[in-house]
Amino acid sequence: MPQGPVHRDAHVLAGINRILQEALRASTEEELGRLCLEVAEDLTGAEFSFFGERGPSHDRLDHIAISERGWAAYGGGDPDYSERRLPNGMKIHGIFGQVILQNRSLIVNDPASHPDRVGTPDGHPGLRNFLGVPLRRDGETFAMFALGNHPTGFTERELAIAEELAPAIVQALLRKRAEVASRASQRRLLSLIEGIPQLVWTATRDGQWTWASAQWVAMTGLSVKQSLGDGWLAAVHPDDRDAARRFWESASENGDLAMEGRLRHGETGRYRWFKTRATPVHDDHGRVVEWFGTSTDIDTLRRLRERQETLVAELQHRVRNILTIVRSIFTRTVESGGPIDEIADHFRGRLDSLARTQVVATQTRSGKIDLENLIRDELLGVGAIEDERLSIEGPDVALPADTAESIGLAIHELTTNALKYGALRHPAGRLTIAWGIEHKSNNKCELIVKWDETGVPAMPVPPVRQGFGTELIREALPYGLGARTRLEFRGGGVLCVVSLPWSADDTDPVNRSAEG
C-alpha cells in the first residue's frame, strides 16, 4: 500500500535529523558524505549513490563520497577503486553532468536511450535508472548527489524526498568544513604560539585570565588552572602587583595595554623583567570580547640598558676628570717657566703619558691597568726599557683607571728626571723599580711602589723650587688617592716610595698578553 504524505514526511524529517546529528560526530567530509548517501538510499530505495562537487576549473567533478553499497557493487580491476580512492577530475558530461550544467534535478529511467548518455567506466555497476539533485550555496550549484538503480524506476516521490534532503546535506557539509577549518586554524595557532619565546595568554577585559600557554607554565611553574582568573598575580613581584592591577583598570575599547614588571621563575625563584602587552579582540559589532596578551622577557635587555646608563655616567665623569687633569697639567707646566719649546715638550710628554693610560684602560674589559705594563710603557716611550741598568720586579697588580692616571704621571715625571739628571743619564747609575702588597695588623693592605736610583755622581742638592712632578708626588697623590709618599733627592739618586691603601679584591692578576 502506498505511503501517505504525512508518513513519508515523518521519515524524511527523521532522515534530515539524522544527517544533522551525525554530522557532529563525523570526523571527515567523506564520512559525512557516506552517511548522507546512506540516508538517501534508505529513503528512496536506490541501490547505490555518489556525492561530488565542482573542482577549481568548474568543468571537472571531484567526488566527496561514494556510498558503501556503491563501493561494494564495483566489479572492475581499477586499483584506485579497489583501495577506495575517490576519483577526482572527472569531466562534467553525460547524464550526471546535466544536473550541474542545467542546475536542475533530473530523473532518467531509460539511460540507454538518453541522448546525453556516455556509458559507465569498466567495473561500474550497470545503470538501469538515475536520479540526480543539485546542491546549492548562495543560489549557485556547487555540487550534486546522484542515486542509481531503483527497483521499479524513480518517481516524483523519490525526487521530492531527495530535494528535501538537499538543504540538510548542504548545511551539514558546510558546517563540517567550517569545523575542520576551525580545528586546522586552532592547530596552526597553537603551533605558532608554541614556537615563539613569548608567554601568551587570554583574558577578559577586567584582567581575569581564561587561558595561558605552555611557555607561561614552564616559566612561572603555575599550571593553567592555577593561572585562571586572577591566579596569575601569584607570579608577579609583590612590588609590581598594584601596577598590574592598574594595567587592567586602564583597559579601553580600542587601545592596547603595555607595562613592564617582574615575574617569578618557578624553578629558581628569581624574578625576571618582562614587557607585557595586551590587544583587544573585537566581535563583528566592534565590542571587546577578550584580550590577547604576550609577556616578553626583557631582563637581559633591561640590565644592559642599566649598564649602558652607568657606563655613560662613568664616561661623563671620566671626561670631566681628564679635562681637570689636563687643565692642571697645563697650568703647572706653564707656571714652571722656561723657554716655550721646553714648556711644550713637558706638556706634550705629560699628555702622552695620560693618553697611554687611557688607551690601555679602554682596551680592557674591567677598565683596570696592569702596573708593570704601565711602568714599562713609560720607559719604552723614552727608549730605556732595554737598559741593563734597569730592574723591574713585582707581582701582578691591576690598578683602577683613576689610580693609574696619577701613578702613570708620577712614573713619567720620575723617568723624565732620571733621563735628565739621574740614573738613566749616567753610565754608573742604577734604577730599581719594585712593588708589593703589604698586609697590616688591622687586616688592611697597602700597595707599596718603590723607585730607587743609585750610582748617580752628584751631591744631594734638592731642587731650588717645587716643580710639577714634586707637587704631584708629595701633594696630589696623598690628596687624590689617600697615599703616603716619600720623595728624597739623595746623593746617588732619587728615592721615591708611594704607599697606597689597597683591597684584597684588587690583587686579581690581569692578562698581560691580552691587555699589555
Side-chain angles (χ1 to χ4, degrees):
M1 181 177 179
Q3 293 178 333
V6 175
H7 189 68
R8 185 193 69 204
D9 289 347
H11 281 289
V12 173
L13 182 60
I16 291 173
N17 288 335
R18 182 183 171 193
I19 288 174
L20 296 178
Q21 291 173 5
E22 293 291 336
L24 300 175
R25 291 191 284 270
S27 58
T28 64
E29 286 186 16
E30 184 180 3
E31 183 180 345
L32 172 63
R34 288 198 303 270
L35 166 69
C36 295
L37 294 175
E38 180 182 331
V39 170
E41 289 171 350
D42 289 346
L43 291 176
T44 63
E47 292 182 3
F48 61 85
S49 56
F50 77 88
F51 180 9
E53 69 176 326
R54 274 182 162 171
S57 64
H58 285 264
D59 62 345
R60 299 285 172 172
L61 187 80
D62 294 335
H63 280 67
I64 295 175
I66 294 175
S67 70
E68 289 294 338
R69 297 169 188 172
W71 288 115
Y74 178 74
D78 190 327
D80 284 344
Y81 276 93
S82 300
E83 296 179 17
R84 299 183 66 149
R85 293 195 187 98
L86 291 172
N88 291 322
M90 296 182 64
K91 185 177 180 181
I92 297 178
H93 66 163
I95 296 174
F96 81 86
Q98 298 306 306
V99 177
I100 293 179
L101 296 175
Q102 296 184 27
N103 189 25
R104 65 182 180 90
S105 299
L106 180 64
I107 293 177
V108 178
N109 283 322
D110 186 14
S113 63
H114 195 280
D116 293 311
R117 185 176 186 275
V118 293
T120 58
D122 179 47
H124 188 282
L127 192 63
R128 299 192 305 274
N129 45 59
F130 170 87
L131 169 60
V133 176
L135 300 177
R136 299 181 180 92
R137 177 180 57 201
D138 298 329
E140 181 179 349
T141 296
F142 75 99
M144 65 166 291
F145 73 97
L147 305 168
N149 292 359
H150 187 279
T152 60
F154 292 104
T155 66
E156 291 298 323
R157 173 183 174 276
E158 287 79 32
L159 177 61
I161 292 174
E163 288 183 337
E164 286 186 60
L165 292 177
I169 293 174
V170 172
Q171 182 180 348
L173 176 64
L174 297 182
R175 182 188 299 172
K176 178 56 59 180
R177 286 184 172 176
E179 177 189 325
V180 171
S182 176
R183 287 203 304 265
S185 178
Q186 289 177 356
R187 286 194 299 269
R188 288 194 296 270
L189 179 60
L190 287 175
S191 296
L192 175 63
I193 290 174
E194 290 173 358
I196 62 177
Q198 284 84 1
L199 318 182
V200 186
W201 41 269
T202 58
T204 61
R205 63 175 301 165
D206 57 353
Q208 298 293 303
W209 281 24
T210 55
W211 174 80
S213 70
Q215 294 94 319
W216 167 268
V217 174
M219 162 62 195
T220 65
L222 296 177
S223 67
V224 174
K225 184 177 180 180
Q226 291 171 322
S227 304
L228 298 182
D230 59 3
W232 56 274
L233 278 169
V236 179
H237 193 285
D239 293 344
D240 296 333
R241 288 175 186 170
D242 287 343
R245 293 186 181 96
R246 290 194 299 271
F247 174 83
W248 286 107
E249 291 173 2
S250 62
S252 64
E253 290 288 325
N254 300 311
D256 294 345
L257 302 178
M259 68 166 286
E260 292 185 7
R262 289 159 289 183
L263 296 177
R264 184 179 182 273
H265 190 279
E267 291 186 3
T268 65
R270 177 179 173 271
Y271 284 93
R272 296 182 64 83
W273 283 95
F274 279 77
K275 177 79 171 184
T276 295
R277 293 183 175 88
T279 302
V281 179
H282 299 88
D283 62 16
D284 293 339
H285 303 287
R287 294 186 294 263
V288 175
V289 294
E290 67 176 348
W291 288 78
F292 183 85
T294 60
S295 298
T296 304
D297 190 330
I298 60 168
D299 195 74
T300 301
L301 180 63
R302 188 183 177 97
R303 295 181 188 279
L304 287 174
R305 186 172 63 200
E306 292 172 352
R307 175 61 177 159
Q308 182 184 42
E309 292 172 354
T310 301
L311 289 175
V312 169
E314 290 177 355
L315 177 61
Q316 291 172 341
H317 171 74
R318 287 194 54 75
V319 168
R320 288 193 298 268
N321 187 53
I322 290 171
L323 289 176
T324 300
I325 294 173
V326 171
R327 187 182 299 112
S328 175
I329 291 173
F330 176 77
T331 301
R332 294 298 294 122
T333 303
V334 172
E335 289 177 350
S336 66
I340 188 64
D341 291 344
E342 184 176 331
I343 293 174
D345 287 341
H346 282 308
F347 184 61
R348 186 181 301 109
R350 289 159 182 165
L351 283 186
D352 288 345
S353 174
L354 186 62
R356 283 191 292 270
T357 304
Q358 300 307 313
V359 168
V360 176
T362 56
Q363 289 177 344
T364 60
R365 181 175 299 178
S366 65
K368 295 186 176 183
I369 300 169
D370 179 56
L371 176 56
E372 182 173 343
N373 285 339
L374 178 67
I375 293 170
R376 289 183 177 277
D377 283 347
E378 288 298 332
L379 294 168
L380 181 63
V382 297
I385 195 63
E386 301 297 335
D387 200 314
E388 295 179 355
R389 300 168 296 169
L390 178 64
S391 173
I392 301 175
E393 184 178 3
D396 290 346
V397 172
L399 299 175
D402 54 351
T403 301
E405 288 168 357
S406 299
I407 297 297
L409 283 172
I411 297 297
H412 172 75
E413 294 302 315
L414 291 168
T415 302
T416 302
N417 185 76
L419 282 170
K420 288 185 175 182
Y421 313 110
L424 297 180
R425 178 179 180 183
H426 298 281
R430 294 289 183 270
L431 172 58
T432 300
I433 307 173
W435 62 91
I437 307 295
E438 278 194 9
H439 296 270
K440 301 298 182 180
S441 59
N442 56 0
N443 293 325
K444 294 185 178 181
C445 299
E446 279 188 339
L447 169 63
I448 300 177
V449 182
K450 185 176 181 181
W451 176 288
D452 190 7
E453 298 180 30
T454 59
V456 180
M459 295 297 290
V461 179
V464 176
R465 57 185 175 80
Q466 181 169 293
F468 174 81
T470 302
E471 181 180 333
L472 172 69
I473 293 170
R474 287 180 173 169
E475 298 179 15
L477 294 186
Y479 177 79
L481 303 180
R484 292 183 297 107
T485 61
R486 174 183 167 196
L487 180 62
E488 298 179 4
F489 295 90
R490 310 169 303 175
V494 171
L495 173 65
C496 179
V497 181
V498 178
S499 300
L500 289 167
W502 203 249
S503 169
D505 295 335
D506 293 328
T507 59
D508 296 334
V510 293
N511 187 338
R512 290 194 179 122
S513 63
E515 300 175 359

